[in-house]
């Protein structure tokens, strides 16, 4: 018989997990493996709440295995390292993002693109190499292979920097890969949530001219003044969309729910790129005509490799890019998730894990 989450490993651990598709999280005790030769063990300080955590907790992508313990924007302090660990020592601040494993030998892994490895192991809800399921950052501590652990830059805040581990790399990577990181590029960001607001900050740091396309008119002032976006368009307003026809080199679409795509294609220049990073439950519908008329490109992007994630953290530290956060106690997590669903967060919830997660 398979062992229970509490007894499969030697080290006791606790956190908050969802048990079924209601997605409601409650206290959960489990266990974590002993520190292996290449492992880094760390106490969790902060963990961001990504919309993917909601998708997973409610099994919206049909791939969740319960209990599911979310959290992949994890910042902590090292408490133990394995004999063969080279990059870290006890007391270092570290981060873990969406990945804790990959095959290490495929073409993607060989090119530092672990997020495209067909055998990637996500930080939570995935079988690890030893067959036991991974548990994420809504928990007291964690252990991960050092390859998947990020060095935390000295001047990067631990709390408002945490969301960079998913929201940050997921927007930084496509901006770079699709050439939208050049001064003067006209970049659109669809959906001003956790990913979207960080996308605006990175695009501005690259020198782009940034247009926010949002369904929330109330976010206009903050977008223009707080986030320093150059333009703000209410995407549901056909007149405002019309005024932006053929104006953008590329769009990063961060929307978490189904929404009309054709209007977004119309605001792209010829050969413009629409890059999906948001993952709505349902497939999208596009008429080929709107692609043909202008040779427009529709594509997608998944987080980023470990090397690029480190580069992104260092860039963020240098350019002062952090998330705008609301720091919350652990027992607020269900309310926070309800508010994320209503787009009622400016712009990322971060759980103050070390100070508020109570031992069972
Ligand atoms: P979030 O904070 O909830 O932001 C999503 C934003 O989308 C909302 O703030 C809202 O912005 C807009 N939106 C929500 N519902 C909408 C609707 N029905 N129609 C139009 N716009 C709507 O979520 P997030 O954490 O940024 O994550 C966004 C998506 O990216 C999720 O699907 C998540 O799973 C996915 N994701 C993907 C990757 C990847 O590797 N590709 C990594 C992380 C996350 P406005 O109010 O401005 O309209
Ligand atoms: Zn995420
Ligand atoms: Zn691989």
């Amino acid at each position: 018989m398979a062992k229970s989450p509490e007894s499969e490993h030697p080290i006791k651990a606790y956190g908050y997990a969802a048990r079924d598709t209601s997605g409601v999280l409650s206290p959960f005790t489990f266990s974590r493996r002993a520190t292996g030769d290449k492992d880094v063990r760390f106490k969790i300080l902060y963990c961001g709440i990504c919309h993917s955590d909601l998708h997973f907790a409610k099994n919206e992508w049909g791939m969740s295995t319960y209990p599911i313990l979310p959290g992949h924007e994890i910042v902590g302090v090292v408490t133990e390292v394995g004999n063969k660990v080279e990059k870290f020592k006890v007391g270092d601040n570290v981060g873990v993002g969406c990945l804790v494993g990959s095959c290490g030998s495929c073409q993607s892994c060989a090119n530092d693109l672990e997020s495209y490895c067909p055998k990637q192991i996500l930080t939570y809800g995935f079988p690890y190499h030893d067959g036991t399921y991974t548990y994420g950052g809504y928990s007291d501590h964690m252990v991960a292979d050092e390859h998947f652990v990020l060095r935390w830059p000295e001047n990067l805040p631990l709390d408002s920097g945490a969301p960079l581990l998913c929201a940050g790399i997921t927007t930084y990577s496509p901006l770079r890969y699709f050439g939208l990181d050049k001064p003067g590029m006209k970049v659109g960001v669809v959906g001003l949530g956790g990913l979207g607001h960080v996308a605006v900050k990175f695009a501005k740091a690259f020198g782009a001219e940034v247009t926010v396309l949002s369904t929330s008119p109330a976010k206009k002032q903050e977008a223009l003044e707080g986030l320093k976006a150059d333009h703000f368009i209410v995407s549901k307003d056909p007149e405002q969309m019309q005024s932006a026809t053929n104006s953008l080199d590329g769009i990063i679409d961060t929307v978490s729910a189904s929404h009309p795509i054709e209007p977004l294609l119309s605001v792209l220049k010829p050969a413009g790129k629409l890059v999906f990073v948001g993952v709505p439950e349902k497939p999208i519908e596009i008429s080929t005509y709107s692609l043909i008329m202008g040779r427009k490109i529709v594509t997608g992007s998944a987080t980023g490799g470990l090397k690029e994630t480190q580069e992104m953290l260092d860039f963020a530290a240098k350019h002062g890019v952090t998330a705008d956060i609301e720091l919350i106690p652990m027992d607020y997590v269900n309310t926070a998730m309800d508010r994320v669903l209503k787009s009622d967060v400016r712009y990322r919830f971060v759980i103050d894990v070390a100070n508020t997660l109570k031992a069972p």
Side-chain angles (χ1 to χ4, degrees):
M1 211 177 80
K3 288 187 176 168
S4 73
E6 238 171 315
S7 62
E8 62 195 359
H9 296 297
I11 317 282
K12 298 273 170 252
Y14 55 95
Y16 266 54
R19 311 311 209 285
D20 55 45
T21 55
S22 70
V24 173
L25 300 161
S26 55
F28 173 65
T29 51
F30 63 109
S31 55
R32 293 208 186 265
R33 67 177 183 268
T35 309
D37 284 350
K38 295 289 279 175
D39 281 342
V40 176
R41 181 173 295 281
F42 59 93
K43 174 184 160 72
I44 295 175
L45 300 175
Y46 298 102
C47 186
I49 298 181
C50 176
H51 205 115
S52 302
D53 299 348
L54 278 74
H55 292 303
F56 264 106
K58 293 169 187 268
N59 196 21
E60 288 177 349
W61 295 334
M63 58 200 265
S64 303
T65 306
Y66 294 99
I68 194 138
L69 193 156
H72 58 207
E73 295 181 337
I74 311 163
V75 172
V77 56
V78 176
T79 55
E80 193 182 13
V81 295
N83 293 330
K84 296 191 178 145
V85 166
E86 289 167 3
K87 286 193 298 182
F88 303 101
K89 59 179 189 321
V90 171
D92 286 352
N93 291 325
V94 292
V96 166
C98 301
L99 289 177
V100 292
S102 69
C103 83
S105 57
C106 71
Q107 205 182 347
S108 296
C109 286
N111 289 312
D112 296 310
L113 296 169
E114 296 88 344
S115 59
Y116 300 107
C117 171
K119 294 187 178 158
Q120 63 178 266
I121 300 171
L122 298 188
T123 300
Y124 59 82
F126 262 55
Y128 197 64
H129 299 298
D130 60 8
T132 65
Y133 275 81
T134 54
Y135 294 113
Y138 299 3
S139 62
D140 66 322
H141 83 281
M142 182 141 182
V143 55
D145 183 296
E146 73 164 333
H147 182 75
F148 296 90
V149 180
L150 286 312
R151 190 176 32 74
W152 201 256
E154 206 148 286
N155 59 338
L156 190 62
L158 299 168
D159 50 1
S160 57
L164 297 173
L165 291 160
C166 176
I169 185 60
T170 303
T171 52
Y172 177 94
S173 183
L175 286 168
R176 301 266 293 152
Y177 182 76
F178 293 107
L180 301 172
D181 58 342
K182 313 278 181 296
M185 274 284 160
K186 294 191 170 33
V187 174
V189 174
V190 188
L192 201 58
L195 267 58
H197 92 290
V198 177
V200 172
K201 292 188 183 193
F202 276 127
K204 287 300 294 180
F206 291 137
E209 183 179 324
V210 180
T211 301
V212 172
L213 300 114
S214 167
T215 58
S216 309
K219 293 178 183 171
K220 179 171 181 176
Q221 197 180 350
E222 304 157 21
L224 297 176
E225 290 171 13
L227 301 173
K228 307 274 186 285
D230 299 284
H231 314 281
F232 185 94
I233 291 177
V234 178
S235 51
K236 288 186 293 195
D237 180 339
E239 262 176 47
Q240 290 191 33
M241 289 298 280
Q242 182 80 34
S243 70
T245 302
N246 286 340
S247 67
L248 301 176
D249 293 294
I251 292 176
I252 307 291
D253 184 327
T254 74
V255 176
S256 50
S258 297
H259 58 291
I261 306 304
E262 298 280 334
L264 300 176
L265 292 171
S266 73
V267 297
L268 281 178
K269 288 180 185 173
K273 297 160 191 158
L274 172 56
V275 186
F276 285 101
V277 294
V279 192
E281 265 177 274
K282 295 201 185 101
I284 55 168
E285 222 174 84
I286 301 175
S287 94
T288 55
Y289 185 77
S290 42
L291 298 178
I292 291 166
M293 296 314 291
R295 297 205 285 207
K296 292 176 183 175
I297 297 160
V298 176
T299 180
S301 187
T303 59
L306 274 298
K307 185 169 175 242
E308 191 177 34
T309 305
Q310 189 65 60
E311 175 194 304
M312 176 277 307
L313 287 177
D314 295 340
F315 179 94
K318 188 168 167 204
H319 294 268
V321 176
T322 55
D324 292 3
I325 64 162
E326 194 173 319
L327 193 64
I328 58 162
M330 187 73 235
D331 62 8
Y332 188 76
V333 66
N334 290 306
T335 310
M337 286 192 161
D338 288 344
R339 286 183 51 195
V340 169
L341 262 190
K342 293 183 200 141
S343 304
D344 173 26
V345 47
R346 301 293 193 272
Y347 281 93
R348 197 56 137 192
F349 286 114
V350 171
I351 305 167
D352 185 359
V353 178
N355 290 315
T356 65
L357 172 63
K358 294 189 182 73

